[in-house]
Short mmCIF file of all heavy atoms in Angstrom, two decimals:
data_model
loop_
_atom_site.label_atom_id
_atom_site.label_comp_id
_atom_site.label_asym_id
_atom_site.label_seq_id
_atom_site.Cartn_x
_atom_site.Cartn_y
_atom_site.Cartn_z
N GLY A 33 -19.03 -11.83 -0.95
CA GLY A 33 -18.90 -11.97 0.51
C GLY A 33 -18.32 -13.32 0.87
O GLY A 33 -17.46 -13.40 1.80
N GLU A 34 -18.74 -14.38 0.18
CA GLU A 34 -18.19 -15.72 0.42
C GLU A 34 -16.71 -15.81 0.02
O GLU A 34 -15.92 -16.45 0.69
CB GLU A 34 -18.99 -16.75 -0.26
CG GLU A 34 -20.42 -16.96 0.30
CD GLU A 34 -21.29 -17.84 -0.58
OE1 GLU A 34 -21.16 -17.75 -1.84
OE2 GLU A 34 -22.10 -18.53 -0.01
N THR A 35 -16.38 -15.12 -1.06
CA THR A 35 -14.99 -15.10 -1.50
C THR A 35 -14.11 -14.43 -0.45
O THR A 35 -13.04 -14.96 -0.13
CB THR A 35 -14.85 -14.40 -2.86
OG1 THR A 35 -15.64 -15.14 -3.82
CG2 THR A 35 -13.44 -14.34 -3.34
N LEU A 36 -14.58 -13.31 0.06
CA LEU A 36 -13.81 -12.61 1.13
C LEU A 36 -13.65 -13.50 2.31
O LEU A 36 -12.57 -13.61 2.93
CB LEU A 36 -14.52 -11.29 1.48
CG LEU A 36 -13.89 -10.52 2.64
CD1 LEU A 36 -12.44 -10.14 2.30
CD2 LEU A 36 -14.71 -9.25 2.89
N GLN A 37 -14.73 -14.17 2.71
CA GLN A 37 -14.63 -15.12 3.82
C GLN A 37 -13.63 -16.21 3.60
O GLN A 37 -12.83 -16.54 4.51
CB GLN A 37 -16.03 -15.73 4.05
CG GLN A 37 -16.06 -16.76 5.19
CD GLN A 37 -17.47 -17.36 5.29
OE1 GLN A 37 -18.46 -16.75 4.99
NE2 GLN A 37 -17.51 -18.61 5.73
N CYS A 38 -13.55 -16.72 2.40
CA CYS A 38 -12.58 -17.77 2.06
C CYS A 38 -11.16 -17.22 2.15
O CYS A 38 -10.26 -17.91 2.65
CB CYS A 38 -12.87 -18.29 0.66
SG CYS A 38 -11.86 -19.66 0.15
N VAL A 39 -10.92 -16.03 1.62
CA VAL A 39 -9.62 -15.41 1.73
C VAL A 39 -9.18 -15.26 3.17
O VAL A 39 -8.08 -15.62 3.55
CB VAL A 39 -9.59 -14.04 0.98
CG1 VAL A 39 -8.27 -13.33 1.27
CG2 VAL A 39 -9.77 -14.24 -0.50
N LEU A 40 -10.09 -14.72 3.99
CA LEU A 40 -9.78 -14.54 5.41
C LEU A 40 -9.50 -15.88 6.12
O LEU A 40 -8.56 -15.96 6.92
CB LEU A 40 -10.89 -13.76 6.09
CG LEU A 40 -11.04 -12.32 5.62
CD1 LEU A 40 -12.32 -11.71 6.19
CD2 LEU A 40 -9.80 -11.50 6.00
N ALA A 41 -10.32 -16.89 5.83
CA ALA A 41 -10.11 -18.20 6.43
C ALA A 41 -8.73 -18.76 6.04
O ALA A 41 -8.02 -19.35 6.88
CB ALA A 41 -11.22 -19.15 6.05
N ASP A 42 -8.37 -18.62 4.74
CA ASP A 42 -7.10 -19.07 4.31
C ASP A 42 -5.96 -18.32 4.98
O ASP A 42 -4.95 -18.92 5.35
CB ASP A 42 -6.97 -18.94 2.77
CG ASP A 42 -7.74 -20.01 2.01
OD1 ASP A 42 -8.32 -20.92 2.63
OD2 ASP A 42 -7.80 -19.95 0.79
N LEU A 43 -6.13 -17.05 5.20
CA LEU A 43 -5.12 -16.26 5.90
C LEU A 43 -5.00 -16.72 7.37
O LEU A 43 -3.89 -16.79 7.91
CB LEU A 43 -5.41 -14.75 5.83
CG LEU A 43 -5.17 -14.12 4.49
CD1 LEU A 43 -5.73 -12.70 4.47
CD2 LEU A 43 -3.69 -14.17 4.12
N LEU A 44 -6.11 -17.09 7.99
CA LEU A 44 -6.08 -17.64 9.35
C LEU A 44 -5.31 -18.93 9.35
O LEU A 44 -4.46 -19.17 10.27
CB LEU A 44 -7.50 -17.85 9.86
CG LEU A 44 -8.18 -16.56 10.36
CD1 LEU A 44 -9.70 -16.83 10.48
CD2 LEU A 44 -7.63 -16.09 11.69
N HIS A 45 -5.55 -19.81 8.38
CA HIS A 45 -4.83 -21.06 8.26
C HIS A 45 -3.34 -20.79 8.05
O HIS A 45 -2.46 -21.47 8.63
CB HIS A 45 -5.33 -21.94 7.15
CG HIS A 45 -6.68 -22.51 7.42
ND1 HIS A 45 -6.95 -23.37 8.47
CD2 HIS A 45 -7.87 -22.37 6.74
CE1 HIS A 45 -8.21 -23.76 8.42
NE2 HIS A 45 -8.80 -23.13 7.41
N TRP A 46 -2.98 -19.82 7.22
CA TRP A 46 -1.63 -19.46 6.95
C TRP A 46 -0.96 -19.01 8.24
O TRP A 46 0.17 -19.40 8.55
CB TRP A 46 -1.54 -18.38 5.89
CG TRP A 46 -0.13 -17.97 5.56
CD1 TRP A 46 0.73 -18.64 4.72
CD2 TRP A 46 0.55 -16.86 6.08
NE1 TRP A 46 1.93 -17.97 4.70
CE2 TRP A 46 1.88 -16.85 5.53
CE3 TRP A 46 0.19 -15.83 6.96
CZ2 TRP A 46 2.80 -15.90 5.82
CZ3 TRP A 46 1.17 -14.86 7.26
CH2 TRP A 46 2.45 -14.89 6.72
N CYS A 47 -1.65 -18.20 8.99
CA CYS A 47 -1.10 -17.70 10.27
C CYS A 47 -0.88 -18.85 11.23
O CYS A 47 0.17 -18.91 11.90
CB CYS A 47 -2.05 -16.70 10.89
SG CYS A 47 -2.00 -15.07 10.09
N ASP A 48 -1.81 -19.78 11.29
CA ASP A 48 -1.62 -20.98 12.13
C ASP A 48 -0.39 -21.73 11.72
O ASP A 48 0.45 -22.14 12.54
CB ASP A 48 -2.82 -21.91 12.05
CG ASP A 48 -4.08 -21.35 12.68
OD1 ASP A 48 -4.00 -20.36 13.50
OD2 ASP A 48 -5.19 -21.87 12.39
N GLY A 49 -0.24 -21.95 10.42
CA GLY A 49 0.87 -22.75 9.90
C GLY A 49 2.21 -22.10 9.99
O GLY A 49 3.24 -22.74 9.97
N THR A 50 2.22 -20.75 10.08
CA THR A 50 3.50 -20.05 10.09
C THR A 50 3.69 -19.33 11.42
O THR A 50 4.64 -18.53 11.58
CB THR A 50 3.58 -19.00 8.98
OG1 THR A 50 2.49 -18.09 9.15
CG2 THR A 50 3.53 -19.67 7.59
N GLN A 51 2.85 -19.63 12.36
CA GLN A 51 2.92 -19.08 13.74
C GLN A 51 2.90 -17.57 13.77
O GLN A 51 3.66 -16.91 14.47
CB GLN A 51 4.15 -19.65 14.51
CG GLN A 51 4.09 -21.16 14.65
CD GLN A 51 5.26 -21.68 15.39
OE1 GLN A 51 6.32 -21.08 15.48
NE2 GLN A 51 5.14 -22.91 15.87
N ARG A 52 2.02 -16.99 12.97
CA ARG A 52 1.77 -15.54 12.92
C ARG A 52 0.56 -15.26 13.78
O ARG A 52 -0.34 -16.09 13.88
CB ARG A 52 1.60 -15.06 11.52
CG ARG A 52 2.69 -15.32 10.54
CD ARG A 52 3.99 -14.59 10.90
NE ARG A 52 4.93 -14.40 9.88
CZ ARG A 52 5.75 -15.30 9.41
NH1 ARG A 52 5.68 -16.55 9.81
NH2 ARG A 52 6.62 -15.01 8.47
N ASP A 53 0.44 -14.06 14.30
CA ASP A 53 -0.66 -13.63 15.13
C ASP A 53 -1.66 -12.85 14.25
O ASP A 53 -1.46 -11.66 13.99
CB ASP A 53 -0.20 -12.80 16.30
CG ASP A 53 -1.30 -12.45 17.27
OD1 ASP A 53 -2.50 -12.49 16.92
OD2 ASP A 53 -0.97 -12.10 18.43
N PHE A 54 -2.70 -13.53 13.75
CA PHE A 54 -3.67 -12.91 12.87
C PHE A 54 -4.33 -11.70 13.58
O PHE A 54 -4.48 -10.63 12.99
CB PHE A 54 -4.72 -13.89 12.44
CG PHE A 54 -5.77 -13.34 11.48
CD1 PHE A 54 -5.52 -13.32 10.14
CD2 PHE A 54 -6.93 -12.76 11.96
CE1 PHE A 54 -6.47 -12.79 9.25
CE2 PHE A 54 -7.88 -12.24 11.07
CZ PHE A 54 -7.63 -12.26 9.74
N ASP A 55 -4.73 -11.88 14.80
CA ASP A 55 -5.44 -10.80 15.54
C ASP A 55 -4.57 -9.54 15.66
O ASP A 55 -5.06 -8.43 15.48
CB ASP A 55 -5.98 -11.27 16.86
CG ASP A 55 -7.05 -12.31 16.72
OD1 ASP A 55 -7.87 -12.20 15.78
OD2 ASP A 55 -7.11 -13.25 17.54
N ALA A 56 -3.29 -9.74 15.98
CA ALA A 56 -2.39 -8.62 16.08
C ALA A 56 -2.20 -7.92 14.72
O ALA A 56 -2.18 -6.70 14.64
CB ALA A 56 -1.04 -9.07 16.65
N ALA A 57 -2.08 -8.74 13.70
CA ALA A 57 -1.95 -8.16 12.36
C ALA A 57 -3.19 -7.42 11.94
O ALA A 57 -3.14 -6.35 11.31
CB ALA A 57 -1.59 -9.27 11.32
N LEU A 58 -4.36 -8.00 12.28
CA LEU A 58 -5.63 -7.31 11.94
C LEU A 58 -5.75 -6.00 12.69
O LEU A 58 -6.17 -5.00 12.09
CB LEU A 58 -6.80 -8.21 12.29
CG LEU A 58 -8.20 -7.64 11.98
CD1 LEU A 58 -8.36 -7.32 10.49
CD2 LEU A 58 -9.25 -8.69 12.40
N LEU A 59 -5.32 -5.94 13.93
CA LEU A 59 -5.37 -4.72 14.69
C LEU A 59 -4.45 -3.65 14.07
O LEU A 59 -4.86 -2.50 13.89
CB LEU A 59 -4.94 -4.97 16.15
CG LEU A 59 -4.92 -3.75 17.07
CD1 LEU A 59 -6.30 -3.12 17.14
CD2 LEU A 59 -4.43 -4.11 18.43
N ARG A 60 -3.27 -4.05 13.66
CA ARG A 60 -2.35 -3.12 12.99
C ARG A 60 -2.94 -2.64 11.66
O ARG A 60 -2.84 -1.51 11.27
CB ARG A 60 -0.99 -3.76 12.79
CG ARG A 60 -0.21 -3.94 14.09
CD ARG A 60 1.26 -4.33 13.88
NE ARG A 60 1.38 -5.51 13.05
CZ ARG A 60 1.43 -6.79 13.49
NH1 ARG A 60 1.30 -7.03 14.79
NH2 ARG A 60 1.58 -7.79 12.68
N ALA A 61 -3.57 -3.57 10.92
CA ALA A 61 -4.18 -3.27 9.61
C ALA A 61 -5.31 -2.26 9.82
O ALA A 61 -5.48 -1.34 9.02
CB ALA A 61 -4.67 -4.51 8.92
N ARG A 62 -6.13 -2.45 10.87
CA ARG A 62 -7.25 -1.55 11.13
C ARG A 62 -6.71 -0.13 11.44
O ARG A 62 -7.26 0.86 11.01
CB ARG A 62 -8.11 -2.05 12.27
CG ARG A 62 -8.98 -3.25 11.92
CD ARG A 62 -9.87 -3.60 13.06
NE ARG A 62 -10.63 -4.81 12.82
CZ ARG A 62 -11.80 -4.79 12.17
NH1 ARG A 62 -12.33 -3.68 11.69
NH2 ARG A 62 -12.42 -5.94 11.99
N THR A 63 -5.60 -0.08 12.20
CA THR A 63 -4.98 1.21 12.52
C THR A 63 -4.45 1.87 11.28
O THR A 63 -4.65 3.07 11.03
CB THR A 63 -3.87 0.98 13.55
OG1 THR A 63 -4.37 0.40 14.73
CG2 THR A 63 -3.18 2.29 13.89
N GLN A 64 -3.78 1.08 10.43
CA GLN A 64 -3.26 1.62 9.15
C GLN A 64 -4.41 2.10 8.28
O GLN A 64 -4.36 3.21 7.67
CB GLN A 64 -2.49 0.55 8.44
CG GLN A 64 -1.94 1.00 7.12
CD GLN A 64 -1.18 -0.11 6.38
OE1 GLN A 64 -0.70 -1.09 7.01
NE2 GLN A 64 -1.03 -0.01 5.09
N HIS A 65 -5.47 1.34 8.18
CA HIS A 65 -6.65 1.68 7.35
C HIS A 65 -7.25 3.00 7.85
O HIS A 65 -7.58 3.89 7.03
CB HIS A 65 -7.63 0.54 7.39
CG HIS A 65 -8.92 0.84 6.68
ND1 HIS A 65 -10.04 1.22 7.37
CD2 HIS A 65 -9.22 0.88 5.39
CE1 HIS A 65 -11.05 1.43 6.53
NE2 HIS A 65 -10.57 1.24 5.29
N ALA A 66 -7.43 3.12 9.15
CA ALA A 66 -8.00 4.35 9.68
C ALA A 66 -7.14 5.56 9.39
O ALA A 66 -7.67 6.61 9.02
CB ALA A 66 -8.21 4.21 11.25
N ALA A 67 -5.83 5.39 9.49
CA ALA A 67 -4.92 6.49 9.20
C ALA A 67 -4.99 6.89 7.73
O ALA A 67 -4.93 8.05 7.36
CB ALA A 67 -3.50 6.15 9.60
N GLU A 68 -5.06 5.88 6.84
CA GLU A 68 -5.08 6.19 5.41
C GLU A 68 -6.42 6.73 4.97
O GLU A 68 -6.50 7.44 3.97
CB GLU A 68 -4.78 4.87 4.65
CG GLU A 68 -3.33 4.43 4.84
CD GLU A 68 -3.06 3.06 4.22
OE1 GLU A 68 -4.01 2.37 3.78
OE2 GLU A 68 -1.87 2.70 4.20
N ARG A 69 -7.46 6.36 5.68
CA ARG A 69 -8.82 6.81 5.32
C ARG A 69 -9.02 8.29 5.64
O ARG A 69 -9.71 8.98 4.99
CB ARG A 69 -9.86 5.94 6.05
CG ARG A 69 -11.26 6.19 5.57
CD ARG A 69 -12.24 5.30 6.30
NE ARG A 69 -12.04 5.41 7.71
CZ ARG A 69 -12.46 4.56 8.62
NH1 ARG A 69 -13.07 3.47 8.22
NH2 ARG A 69 -12.26 4.73 9.90
#
Side-chain angles (χ1 to χ4, degrees):
E34 290 170 326
T35 300
L36 177 58
Q37 177 182 331
C38 185
V39 170
L40 292 171
D42 284 357
L43 288 171
L44 283 163
H45 289 298
W46 180 82
C47 286
D48 291 343
T50 60
Q51 299 181 341
R52 302 296 200 282
D53 186 340
F54 182 88
D55 293 323
L58 181 59
L59 180 61
R60 290 189 306 270
R62 287 184 185 276
T63 300
Q64 178 182 340
H65 174 258
E68 291 172 353
R69 189 179 53 199

